[in-house]
Each structure stands twice: as structure tokens, then as C-alpha cells.
Amino acid sequence: MNDSTRVGLHAPDLKRERVSVTRQMSASLPRLRAVARQKGLKIHHLGAGYPHPEVTDPRTFLAHKAAYFEHLRRREGLNDANALPEYLRESFAYTDTLGPREPRESFAAVYGHDWNLDIDPAHLIPTVGATGGISLSCALFERPGKPLAYITDAPTYAGFLARAQLNRHARVFSVEMDAEGPIIDRFRAQIRAARAAGYFVPFYYTIPDGHNPAGFSFSAARRQAVLDVATEEGILILEDAPYLYINYAPAPARPKPFVALAPERTIHLFTGSKIGLPGPRVGYIYSEAEVEIEGGKRAAITELLLTEASADILFQNPEALHGFDALLHDESMELRESLWPVAERKLEIYRENRQIVLDGLEQGLGDAPERFRWTHPEAGFFTVFTFLGDRVTTDDAFIERMVAEYGVVVIPMYDFYPADARARNPRAGLDQLRVSFCFSESSGDERRRDLREAVTAFCRAARAEAGC
Ligand SMILES: Cc1ncc(COP(=O)(O)O)c(C=O)c1O
């Protein structure tokens, strides 16, 4: 008799839940690196999507946080040097699911100023980064157990696909994009197709600024058109905004995020990972949306998300939230007006890296516009590089060759296309690469030199592979 435990779980569907290409890549990297090194090749990083070490040195953050915590202690005016300050007690105690009040109030004021929103701190729900926000949003709509359809872009963020597909009653309906954003007719058609197939459609998940992995930002006009369709069709927009401040466009040219255009139709995901540090896992969900619940009543979606969060994570790490609050205060411990000056310190590096990569591509491949194309990202960490024509297929073998033959690490795009997009077009993404300019192992002049060498090596490889 089979004595294994029967708990009624499904075996993983290996086709759907295969290891993501980025994880596969990091697993095979040591072997490929060894091959490249044996040939005397330098390894060039254009693959990793991590924040740059030069802007994520925790020591600066820790010094500022310590000064802020000292400021909080002093502000409490405790005379007894041994007395436990309230902020410290709260930082390590059970707290409310909404987390400590003050960090939420600071965030509401600063973020509200930047995006012209009147944020009620009671509607801000702490999350474990944007990842936690994605998960919480999916969990909320999974609860009734109905078949769900998520509308998203083709390509889309791999972390969203991974979370959405954990639910066996969910299906992804993806929408192809052009240079401005999702194609509006396709967007409407996919919502309707999903409904016709019996699915409930809660939201459209997207990353309108510095799209990961598509490497561009949606135009203002397309955002409005998306919003119009979402309103007509009665669905929400789940706006993932990690690169909102990692923005290269001059201030007047930056299109507004969905949350600033229509907070009543948007579930907005803020994360501290890119503007601060990813390790502390700080994020907030904000929304002014109301939804219909059982009995025809209406409820603020944040109320429902809060119930979901209290049963799930119960409470965020309060010390991390107080730590993030330190970032919202300047050197004199005044609450900042805006997060842009914080972003600027990171932007100095990313702006420079982006320019090095775009200049390098132009220099190396700009004479062959009939063969190569790449995006000019207005925000974020990536440009998407396309081989025109059908001579080059950017499959796993190609990616391995890029490392082993040329020492260049890049990420293939095909895996970021949802299954339905690949069924419609079996070559979806198989002519594209995600080239990232956010990460290198070096800093300062060495970083600049390494990145220049990386893009030169990339151009040489692209030409060789394209046969020109
Ligand atoms: C589009 C997108 N969403 C979410 C995340 C994850 O963010 P977090 O660290 O806040 O969980 C990333 C990180 O790269 C991302 O690019």
C-alpha cells in the first residue's frame, strides 16, 4: 500500500510552473563563466535587474536611520536614560496590520505631494515590497473561488505571471503592445474574450513607467485610452510602479501614473526597493477604488485588502517601516516635501549608465537600422534590443553562446511573454533581448569603463550573430 501522505495538493504543472528564465540563467552562469574564462574572455554584465551596488550601500542608509532614530528618542523628551523610547518598543512589537502610524502619515504627505493626491493614511496598506502588493491583490480576488482572468501586457513582469499562475482557476489574457503601450483594440477584445469564456476579470496588471521587461514607458495618450476602456468595461488597473522615480524624462515630459489620473480606478503599488533598498522589503498599496461586494453593497478596496493582509502577513516589520520613514526625512530631520531629491542620488548613476549603453549601441550598431532596433527607456533599468528579420533566434542556446563565445550576459525575452501570446505568435520574443544597465560589479570610473566595454562586446556579438 502506498503510505505517502494524501493532502489533496495538485502536482506542480511543470509546463506552467517551469523555472523562470532568469533563475535558469543564474543557475547556469557559473558553468558558462568558467567556459568564457577558459577562453580568456571578460564577463560583461548586461543581464541582472538588481539595483546598482553604488547606490545601495547600506552604510549611508544605516547612518541616516540611526540619526533619525536618535531624533525620535530625543523628541520623546525622556529624562531617564534607561527609559525605553516608544518608537523602539513599537519597532519590535506586534502592531496593527496598517503598521506604525507615523511612517504612513509621512509617506502619505510626501507621495501625495509628488503625485498631487490627497492620500488618506488609513488607505495605505504596507506590503512586502511590490511583490507583496501583487500577491495581496491576486489573493483578494481569488478568495471567492471563481475562475479569474488577469489582463496583462505581452510581455509582462515574470513575478506577476509566477504569482497569478499559482491559482489554477486563473488564466492570463495578454495584450500585445506597440511603442506607446498596450494596443487598445486588443485590450478591449481580451477583456471581452475572457468574459465570454466565463472568467471574472478583476484587473489589468501593468508597469506603465520603465516597463519591466519591455523597456519603455506608456505615452500619456495611451494611458488615457487604457483608462477609458477600463472605465467602460468596469475593471481596475493594478499599477506596479517600482521605476516611477527612476525616471530620465524632464519633469514636464513625465506622463502621470494611473494613480494620479484616476485613483478610484487604480490599485497602486509603491515599493521602497528601488528608491531605497530592496532588503527591508517595504511597500505600500494605495487605492481609492470601491468595489461591489455581496448583497450589492460597496466597500473600499483597501478595507478588503486590509482584511486579506491581516489574515495573511498580520503585520509588517515595524522597524523596517520606521527605517523607511528615515528616508522621508532630510539631514535636519525635517519631513521632505518630495521623494525626487532622494531619487536624484540614484538617478545620477542610472542616468549615466543608460547614456553609456544607448551611446554605445548607437556607435556600434547605429549604421544598421534595418537589422537592429532598441528602445530608449524614459524610466527603469532596461532597454529591449530587437534583431530585425528572422536570421537570429534569441533562444536558450543563443543566450548560452553569448556568454560562452563573447562573455556577454543578457536575458532572453521570450519567457516574459504569457503562454497565450506565444500561442498566437510562436516567435514572440524570440528576436529580442533584455539589456540591463542597472548593475555592474564595479563602481566609479571602473563602472563606466566596464559598462562601455560591455556594450562594445555586446555590439560585436550582435553583429557576428546577425552576420554583418
Ligand atoms: C515590475 C516589477 N515589479 C515588482 C518588482 C519587485 O519589487 P519588490 O522588490 O518591491 O518586491 C520588480 C523588481 O525588479 C519589478 O521590476
PDB file of all heavy atoms in Angstrom, residues 79 130 145 148 190 192 209 240 258 270 295 330 342 422 438 441-442 462:
ATOM      1  N   ASN A  79      13.615  61.793  30.197  1.00  0.00           N
ATOM      2  CA  ASN A  79      14.694  62.250  31.083  1.00  0.00           C
ATOM      3  C   ASN A  79      15.557  61.094  31.555  1.00  0.00           C
ATOM      4  O   ASN A  79      16.765  61.206  31.669  1.00  0.00           O
ATOM      5  CB  ASN A  79      14.116  62.989  32.300  1.00  0.00           C
ATOM      6  CG  ASN A  79      13.469  64.289  31.848  1.00  0.00           C
ATOM      7  OD1 ASN A  79      13.950  64.923  30.901  1.00  0.00           O
ATOM      8  ND2 ASN A  79      12.363  64.662  32.478  1.00  0.00           N
ATOM      9  N   ALA A 130       6.757  45.435  -3.713  1.00  0.00           N
ATOM     10  CA  ALA A 130       5.707  45.354  -4.732  1.00  0.00           C
ATOM     11  C   ALA A 130       5.250  43.907  -4.890  1.00  0.00           C
ATOM     12  O   ALA A 130       4.081  43.633  -5.196  1.00  0.00           O
ATOM     13  CB  ALA A 130       6.224  45.895  -6.054  1.00  0.00           C
ATOM     14  N   GLY A 145     -13.224  32.084  -5.193  1.00  0.00           N
ATOM     15  CA  GLY A 145     -13.085  30.776  -5.853  1.00  0.00           C
ATOM     16  C   GLY A 145     -13.634  30.719  -7.266  1.00  0.00           C
ATOM     17  O   GLY A 145     -13.784  29.639  -7.834  1.00  0.00           O
ATOM     18  N   LEU A 148     -10.869  33.160 -12.730  1.00  0.00           N
ATOM     19  CA  LEU A 148     -10.415  34.548 -12.873  1.00  0.00           C
ATOM     20  C   LEU A 148      -9.596  34.719 -14.145  1.00  0.00           C
ATOM     21  O   LEU A 148      -8.830  33.826 -14.501  1.00  0.00           O
ATOM     22  CB  LEU A 148      -9.461  34.894 -11.732  1.00  0.00           C
ATOM     23  CG  LEU A 148     -10.017  35.158 -10.363  1.00  0.00           C
ATOM     24  CD1 LEU A 148      -8.858  35.466  -9.412  1.00  0.00           C
ATOM     25  CD2 LEU A 148     -10.972  36.343 -10.412  1.00  0.00           C
ATOM     26  N   GLN A 190      -9.565  41.526 -25.405  1.00  0.00           N
ATOM     27  CA  GLN A 190      -9.153  40.487 -24.449  1.00  0.00           C
ATOM     28  C   GLN A 190     -10.054  40.484 -23.206  1.00  0.00           C
ATOM     29  O   GLN A 190     -10.355  39.420 -22.666  1.00  0.00           O
ATOM     30  CB  GLN A 190      -7.682  40.665 -24.046  1.00  0.00           C
ATOM     31  CG  GLN A 190      -6.693  40.270 -25.138  1.00  0.00           C
ATOM     32  CD  GLN A 190      -6.714  38.775 -25.438  1.00  0.00           C
ATOM     33  OE1 GLN A 190      -7.726  38.244 -25.942  1.00  0.00           O
ATOM     34  NE2 GLN A 190      -5.641  38.074 -25.153  1.00  0.00           N
ATOM     35  N   ARG A 192     -13.146  41.274 -23.198  1.00  0.00           N
ATOM     36  CA  ARG A 192     -14.420  40.661 -23.632  1.00  0.00           C
ATOM     37  C   ARG A 192     -14.271  39.165 -23.888  1.00  0.00           C
ATOM     38  O   ARG A 192     -15.164  38.386 -23.551  1.00  0.00           O
ATOM     39  CB  ARG A 192     -14.944  41.398 -24.872  1.00  0.00           C
ATOM     40  CG  ARG A 192     -15.328  42.824 -24.492  1.00  0.00           C
ATOM     41  CD  ARG A 192     -16.013  43.558 -25.604  1.00  0.00           C
ATOM     42  NE  ARG A 192     -16.359  44.898 -25.139  1.00  0.00           N
ATOM     43  CZ  ARG A 192     -16.773  45.868 -25.911  1.00  0.00           C
ATOM     44  NH1 ARG A 192     -16.916  45.664 -27.217  1.00  0.00           N
ATOM     45  NH2 ARG A 192     -17.077  47.041 -25.403  1.00  0.00           N
ATOM     46  N   ASP A 209       5.490  52.798 -16.184  1.00  0.00           N
ATOM     47  CA  ASP A 209       6.732  53.584 -16.200  1.00  0.00           C
ATOM     48  C   ASP A 209       7.937  52.660 -16.110  1.00  0.00           C
ATOM     49  O   ASP A 209       8.081  51.910 -15.147  1.00  0.00           O
ATOM     50  CB  ASP A 209       6.731  54.566 -15.016  1.00  0.00           C
ATOM     51  CG  ASP A 209       5.720  55.664 -15.235  1.00  0.00           C
ATOM     52  OD1 ASP A 209       6.018  56.582 -16.018  1.00  0.00           O
ATOM     53  OD2 ASP A 209       4.601  55.584 -14.669  1.00  0.00           O
ATOM     54  N   ASP A 240       1.870  48.681 -11.107  1.00  0.00           N
ATOM     55  CA  ASP A 240       3.114  48.336 -10.418  1.00  0.00           C
ATOM     56  C   ASP A 240       4.114  49.438 -10.776  1.00  0.00           C
ATOM     57  O   ASP A 240       4.390  49.663 -11.954  1.00  0.00           O
ATOM     58  CB  ASP A 240       3.578  46.964 -10.952  1.00  0.00           C
ATOM     59  CG  ASP A 240       4.674  46.356 -10.103  1.00  0.00           C
ATOM     60  OD1 ASP A 240       5.070  46.972  -9.103  1.00  0.00           O
ATOM     61  OD2 ASP A 240       5.126  45.244 -10.456  1.00  0.00           O
ATOM     62  N   PHE A 258      -1.152  56.082 -13.431  1.00  0.00           N
ATOM     63  CA  PHE A 258      -2.608  55.875 -13.371  1.00  0.00           C
ATOM     64  C   PHE A 258      -3.183  56.368 -12.053  1.00  0.00           C
ATOM     65  O   PHE A 258      -4.289  56.902 -12.014  1.00  0.00           O
ATOM     66  CB  PHE A 258      -2.946  54.389 -13.564  1.00  0.00           C
ATOM     67  CG  PHE A 258      -2.817  53.945 -14.992  1.00  0.00           C
ATOM     68  CD1 PHE A 258      -1.829  53.047 -15.373  1.00  0.00           C
ATOM     69  CD2 PHE A 258      -3.682  54.420 -15.965  1.00  0.00           C
ATOM     70  CE1 PHE A 258      -1.707  52.639 -16.695  1.00  0.00           C
ATOM     71  CE2 PHE A 258      -3.575  54.024 -17.294  1.00  0.00           C
ATOM     72  CZ  PHE A 258      -2.582  53.130 -17.657  1.00  0.00           C
ATOM     73  N   PHE A 270       3.370  50.841  -4.527  1.00  0.00           N
ATOM     74  CA  PHE A 270       4.640  51.531  -4.306  1.00  0.00           C
ATOM     75  C   PHE A 270       5.619  50.536  -3.693  1.00  0.00           C
ATOM     76  O   PHE A 270       5.230  49.703  -2.878  1.00  0.00           O
ATOM     77  CB  PHE A 270       4.458  52.716  -3.337  1.00  0.00           C
ATOM     78  CG  PHE A 270       5.782  53.256  -2.856  1.00  0.00           C
ATOM     79  CD1 PHE A 270       6.500  54.141  -3.644  1.00  0.00           C
ATOM     80  CD2 PHE A 270       6.322  52.837  -1.643  1.00  0.00           C
ATOM     81  CE1 PHE A 270       7.742  54.607  -3.226  1.00  0.00           C
ATOM     82  CE2 PHE A 270       7.571  53.302  -1.226  1.00  0.00           C
ATOM     83  CZ  PHE A 270       8.273  54.191  -2.011  1.00  0.00           C
ATOM     84  N   GLY A 295     -24.417  41.167  -1.650  1.00  0.00           N
ATOM     85  CA  GLY A 295     -25.601  41.907  -1.218  1.00  0.00           C
ATOM     86  C   GLY A 295     -25.697  43.278  -1.866  1.00  0.00           C
ATOM     87  O   GLY A 295     -26.428  44.144  -1.392  1.00  0.00           O
ATOM     88  N   ASP A 330      14.922  64.653   5.873  1.00  0.00           N
ATOM     89  CA  ASP A 330      16.225  65.113   5.381  1.00  0.00           C
ATOM     90  C   ASP A 330      17.265  65.114   6.498  1.00  0.00           C
ATOM     91  O   ASP A 330      16.984  64.647   7.612  1.00  0.00           O
ATOM     92  CB  ASP A 330      16.094  66.487   4.701  1.00  0.00           C
ATOM     93  CG  ASP A 330      15.654  67.565   5.683  1.00  0.00           C
ATOM     94  OD1 ASP A 330      15.761  67.350   6.906  1.00  0.00           O
ATOM     95  OD2 ASP A 330      15.198  68.629   5.217  1.00  0.00           O
ATOM     96  N   VAL A 342      15.630  62.328  -3.196  1.00  0.00           N
ATOM     97  CA  VAL A 342      16.159  61.005  -2.814  1.00  0.00           C
ATOM     98  C   VAL A 342      16.471  60.229  -4.090  1.00  0.00           C
ATOM     99  O   VAL A 342      17.526  59.594  -4.232  1.00  0.00           O
ATOM    100  CB  VAL A 342      15.144  60.223  -1.948  1.00  0.00           C
ATOM    101  CG1 VAL A 342      15.676  58.849  -1.573  1.00  0.00           C
ATOM    102  CG2 VAL A 342      14.766  61.023  -0.707  1.00  0.00           C
ATOM    103  N   ARG A 422       2.368  33.514 -26.782  1.00  0.00           N
ATOM    104  CA  ARG A 422       3.264  32.624 -27.545  1.00  0.00           C
ATOM    105  C   ARG A 422       2.475  31.667 -28.429  1.00  0.00           C
ATOM    106  O   ARG A 422       2.952  31.230 -29.464  1.00  0.00           O
ATOM    107  CB  ARG A 422       4.186  31.873 -26.604  1.00  0.00           C
ATOM    108  CG  ARG A 422       5.273  32.803 -26.110  1.00  0.00           C
ATOM    109  CD  ARG A 422       6.402  32.049 -25.507  1.00  0.00           C
ATOM    110  NE  ARG A 422       6.229  31.955 -24.078  1.00  0.00           N
ATOM    111  CZ  ARG A 422       6.809  31.059 -23.323  1.00  0.00           C
ATOM    112  NH1 ARG A 422       7.541  30.112 -23.856  1.00  0.00           N
ATOM    113  NH2 ARG A 422       6.632  31.076 -22.030  1.00  0.00           N
ATOM    114  N   CYS A 438      21.495  48.583 -15.183  1.00  0.00           N
ATOM    115  CA  CYS A 438      21.398  48.982 -13.782  1.00  0.00           C
ATOM    116  C   CYS A 438      22.541  48.437 -12.935  1.00  0.00           C
ATOM    117  O   CYS A 438      22.905  49.020 -11.935  1.00  0.00           O
ATOM    118  CB  CYS A 438      20.064  48.532 -13.202  1.00  0.00           C
ATOM    119  SG  CYS A 438      19.702  46.803 -13.488  1.00  0.00           S
ATOM    120  N   GLU A 441      29.562  45.107 -11.280  1.00  0.00           N
ATOM    121  CA  GLU A 441      30.230  44.765 -10.015  1.00  0.00           C
ATOM    122  C   GLU A 441      31.146  45.898  -9.544  1.00  0.00           C
ATOM    123  O   GLU A 441      31.572  45.933  -8.412  1.00  0.00           O
ATOM    124  CB  GLU A 441      31.010  43.465 -10.183  1.00  0.00           C
ATOM    125  CG  GLU A 441      30.102  42.252 -10.027  1.00  0.00           C
ATOM    126  CD  GLU A 441      30.740  40.953 -10.478  1.00  0.00           C
ATOM    127  OE1 GLU A 441      31.794  40.986 -11.131  1.00  0.00           O
ATOM    128  OE2 GLU A 441      30.145  39.902 -10.187  1.00  0.00           O
ATOM    129  N   SER A 442      31.445  46.814 -10.457  1.00  0.00           N
ATOM    130  CA  SER A 442      32.417  47.862 -10.135  1.00  0.00           C
ATOM    131  C   SER A 442      31.717  49.192  -9.875  1.00  0.00           C
ATOM    132  O   SER A 442      30.533  49.338 -10.133  1.00  0.00           O
ATOM    133  CB  SER A 442      33.355  48.015 -11.328  1.00  0.00           C
ATOM    134  OG  SER A 442      32.587  48.103 -12.510  1.00  0.00           O
ATOM    135  N   ALA A 462      26.443  41.018 -31.395  1.00  0.00           N
ATOM    136  CA  ALA A 462      25.210  41.171 -32.176  1.00  0.00           C
ATOM    137  C   ALA A 462      25.523  41.145 -33.660  1.00  0.00           C
ATOM    138  O   ALA A 462      24.841  40.486 -34.460  1.00  0.00           O
ATOM    139  CB  ALA A 462      24.489  42.464 -31.794  1.00  0.00           C
TER     140      ALA A 462
END
